[in-house]
Amino acid sequence: MRDLYVGLGARPGVPADEVLALVARCLPAGGRPVLLSTLDVRAAEPGVVAAAARLGVPIRSYGSAELDRVSVPHPSAAVRAAVGTSGVAEAAALLAAGVGAVLLVPKVASVRVTCAVAG
């Protein structure tokens, strides 16, 4: 199975259990992420940090300008207004996966977190 790169958009205060539940829902059967990626201002969120620790993977973060250079299939005006980029989860997943990456799972949202998977 190919490496899976999980991108996360998160609201402040998101609990690790919510992050982990959504990541599990988004991963293909038997898949395991090699890292979590997100907006730089969310990388130190306790729920994101705890989720990464429980998964045993590192966190990679990107600034809003870097994320905004990635064309995403599901842009959001609300996200742009809040953090300065039209998408976090999809863009972060694609950036983390690198050149030639494809979005395997487009963004899926729960109450306080959004997840996408690229490989």
Side-chain angles (χ1 to χ4, degrees):
M1 175 170 268
R2 66 173 46 182
D3 287 343
L4 301 174
Y5 297 84
V6 173
L8 298 173
R11 291 186 180 174
V14 64
D17 287 341
E18 186 175 346
V19 174
L20 291 167
L22 190 60
V23 168
R25 193 171 121 203
C26 290
L27 288 174
R32 177 162 166 66
V34 296
L35 63 81
L36 301 181
S37 56
T38 192
L39 181 66
D40 56 4
V41 298
R42 297 294 186 252
E45 264 305 309
V48 172
V49 171
R54 285 169 53 186
L55 289 167
V57 299
I59 298 170
R60 184 174 296 161
S61 63
Y62 302 96
S64 60
E66 192 170 11
L67 292 171
D68 201 42
R69 288 193 290 269
V70 178
S71 177
V72 295
H74 303 98
S76 167
V79 171
R80 176 170 293 292
V83 297
T85 180
S86 62
V88 175
E90 291 174 331
L94 288 165
L95 277 173
V99 175
V102 295
L103 199 58
L104 303 172
V105 179
K107 73 177 180 179
V108 176
S110 66
V111 176
R112 293 168 283 200
V113 65
T114 303
C115 178
V117 180

